[in-house]
Amino acid sequence: MKRFIIFCSFILLASCATNYNQSHYSVSDEYELINVGGDALELFPKSDALYASQYIPAKIVEIAWNDAYILAKQMEQTDDPNNPDASLTNQAKENYWIIDLKNNRRFGPYTKKQFDEQKQEFRISEQLQLQNVKTYFTKAKQES
């Protein structure tokens, strides 16, 4: 009986370890993507609660950053009327955001056209291009 309990405990612990899912990913030195459920990600400041209003709500699907700016594309989510604990992604509603890291200011939500215009106004390099967050996660896992 004792061996059976030890065996079951080992199986339980091993299964918990294989289901590990990272809940946050660093974006620049000051921000991180936080998994708020399923594949819904939000962008939050890491430490300063004063700038908590500078977050970008879920569901972030594309992101890019350098030393001066963070760019993000978000798919708007609405509450699921059939399940109060879930949300639905509105594929037709895309929002774009810019965070000015030097001044700790968030700009958006923008339409694609407004976003492109704002990038030109801020003189954000054309080399800073949004990429799918899954691509970023793959790179982060390979580096760790």
Side-chain angles (χ1 to χ4, degrees):
M1 180 68 168
K2 187 175 180 180
R3 287 183 183 173
F4 178 73
I5 292 172
I6 292 172
F7 178 74
C8 290
S9 298
F10 177 77
I11 296 296
L12 180 64
L13 289 173
S15 67
C16 290
T18 58
N19 289 332
Y20 175 76
N21 190 7
Q22 190 168 350
S23 62
H24 58 86
Y25 299 88
S26 289
V27 174
S28 82
D29 291 334
E30 300 172 24
Y31 285 81
E32 62 188 350
L33 282 171
I34 298 175
N35 187 330
V36 293
D39 61 350
L41 298 165
E42 294 181 338
L43 185 71
F44 275 97
K46 285 183 180 178
S47 61
D48 196 346
L50 179 64
Y51 297 112
S53 63
Q54 303 298 61
Y55 90 102
I56 298 175
K59 174 180 180 183
I60 296 174
V61 293
E62 294 181 8
I63 195 160
W65 69 92
N66 60 19
D67 292 338
Y69 297 100
I70 297 175
L71 310 177
K73 177 181 173 183
Q74 168 219 15
M75 301 303 287
E76 191 171 283
Q77 291 192 309
T78 56
D79 292 333
D80 185 345
N82 299 321
N83 183 355
D85 295 329
S87 59
L88 301 171
T89 301
N90 184 351
Q91 298 292 339
K93 182 68 172 157
E94 297 175 343
N95 295 317
Y96 294 84
W97 303 82
I98 298 173
I99 295 180
D100 179 349
L101 293 172
K102 292 180 181 175
N103 298 307
N104 284 321
R105 295 204 52 207
R106 177 187 71 172
F107 300 92
Y110 294 124
T111 64
K112 176 66 171 151
K113 182 180 177 186
Q114 292 169 328
F115 176 70
D116 290 338
E117 290 169 355
Q118 195 65 44
K119 281 176 37 181
Q120 287 179 345
E121 187 174 316
F122 285 153
R123 294 188 174 123
I124 296 174
S125 170
E126 290 295 321
Q127 294 176 346
L128 187 61
Q129 295 291 318
L130 290 169
Q131 65 177 332
N132 189 303
V133 292
K134 291 177 184 176
T135 303
Y136 168 66
F137 294 156
T138 302
K139 288 180 185 177
K141 285 179 183 179
Q142 289 173 351
E143 292 174 3
S144 61

